[in-house]
Amino acid sequence: MKKTILTVAFCLCIGNLFAQDADKLRDEGDAALKAKDYATAVTKYGEYLKQTNYQDTIRIFNCGFAANQAKNYAEAAKYFDMAVKMNYNVDDSYVGEAMAYRNLNKTEDFLTTVEEGLKAIPDGNKNKTNLEKLLYAYCIKQGQALQKKGDTAGAEKMYKEVLAVSNKEYQSNAYYCLGAMYYGNGAKILQAATPVATSDPDKYASEKAKADKDFTQAKEYLDKAVELDPNDENSKKILASINDLLK
């Protein structure tokens, strides 16, 4: 009986020591966060949360925030995802997770996070606007990079991702990017074919047909850009040129 009592007392003592250690780590994480020592905050919170089986939603979110600030984006994405799944500070957590994936350049994870966030966050919430802004900036930048490499299909996919937002200015700009890209492609084809217009009319006609296909696609996108923004002079200028080329 005495041995049993001693064993129980020993276990209680060990449990109290673990609890004290966890509390110490939590407090050290809080102090580091307050001091803007973000790397230390991530370390202390990480150890604390592991010991407490990831039950403290406040520190899970704080750890995600600190990790983003410390440029430890993989950890930030992990902790913000936990916060989302635990339904804690969901709107800020989606924005934090999206920013982490953006900085990791994980396109599919970024797009999935933004898509889920836009569905989960109610209209009128500033973080829905923030997610749309993140999506617009990322997709336009990625689209332009792919376009520069000659990857028209990849660029088109990225530009079209912007069309999911509610912001009409973002939508109009995305349509302009799409239209300008196809107009540029058609212009290059036509320019390359022009020298053989007389010497090889059949080849010229074939290349002209390819260019016209791109011009027609460009016109479709640019018409939508102007429909959304009647003051879009850049789109109107390209449309006027396309209309002349398609005569």
Side-chain angles (χ1 to χ4, degrees):
M1 180 69 177
K2 180 185 264 187
K3 185 176 180 181
T4 302
I5 293 172
L6 287 172
T7 301
V8 170
F10 177 75
C11 290
L12 289 172
C13 181
I14 292 296
N16 287 335
L17 286 173
F18 275 122
Q20 290 172 11
D21 186 43
D23 289 347
K24 183 172 181 291
L25 288 167
R26 179 199 61 205
D27 294 344
E28 288 174 345
D30 289 345
L33 183 64
K34 187 176 181 181
K36 298 184 179 180
D37 182 359
Y38 298 117
T40 298
V42 173
T43 299
K44 296 297 182 180
Y45 280 144
E47 293 173 2
Y48 160 70
L49 290 167
K50 186 176 181 180
Q51 283 195 19
T52 55
N53 199 28
Y54 302 95
Q55 296 300 308
D56 188 335
T57 53
I58 293 175
R59 271 68 188 198
I60 286 171
F61 177 86
N62 286 354
C63 194
F65 172 80
N68 253 352
Q69 295 299 113
K71 299 183 179 181
N72 189 346
Y73 302 122
E75 287 294 283
K78 180 180 80 172
Y79 284 108
F80 279 127
D81 191 55
M82 285 185 191
V84 167
K85 288 180 169 59
M86 297 174 82
N87 202 34
Y88 179 79
N89 206 1
V90 171
D91 56 335
D92 283 323
S93 295
Y94 268 121
V95 171
E97 187 177 358
M99 289 173 66
Y101 282 132
R102 175 201 64 188
N103 291 327
L104 288 167
N105 204 28
K106 290 193 171 183
T107 299
E108 293 306 317
D109 289 324
F110 170 81
L111 293 175
T112 298
T113 298
V114 172
E115 181 183 356
E116 291 175 356
L118 290 176
K119 289 178 181 177
I121 300 172
D123 293 340
N125 185 305
K126 65 181 178 63
N127 277 322
K128 191 160 192 172
T129 300
N130 289 336
L131 276 182
E132 289 197 353
K133 189 181 295 184
L134 283 171
L135 181 69
Y136 170 74
Y138 182 84
C139 291
I140 294 297
K141 182 179 179 181
Q142 292 295 314
Q144 289 172 341
L146 290 166
Q147 182 180 341
K148 190 175 181 180
K149 292 178 181 178
D151 184 356
T152 298
E156 183 174 29
K157 179 181 182 300
M158 294 308 301
Y159 291 142
K160 283 185 173 180
E161 291 288 347
V162 178
L163 302 178
V165 306
S166 61
N167 187 302
K168 293 189 183 302
E169 181 182 353
Y170 294 167
Q171 290 180 5
S172 178
N173 287 343
Y175 277 125
Y176 170 77
C177 288
L178 286 161
M181 177 175 66
Y182 274 99
Y183 171 73
N185 288 351
K188 286 178 183 177
I189 293 171
L190 193 60
Q191 184 180 29
T194 299
V196 299
T198 303
S199 61
D200 194 343
D202 289 340
K203 182 178 180 180
Y204 175 78
S206 175
E207 293 302 296
K208 176 70 164 58
K210 293 177 185 177
D212 285 351
K213 184 178 180 181
D214 281 341
F215 291 144
T216 301
Q217 181 66 79
K219 178 176 166 55
E220 181 181 329
Y221 286 133
L222 293 167
D223 280 338
K224 290 179 180 178
V226 173
E227 182 180 341
L228 287 164
D229 180 10
N231 297 317
D232 182 357
E233 296 301 324
N234 289 327
S235 290
K236 289 179 182 178
K237 185 177 179 180
I238 298 176
L239 278 169
S241 177
I242 290 172
N243 289 332
D244 287 339
L245 289 166
L246 290 176
K247 286 180 180 177

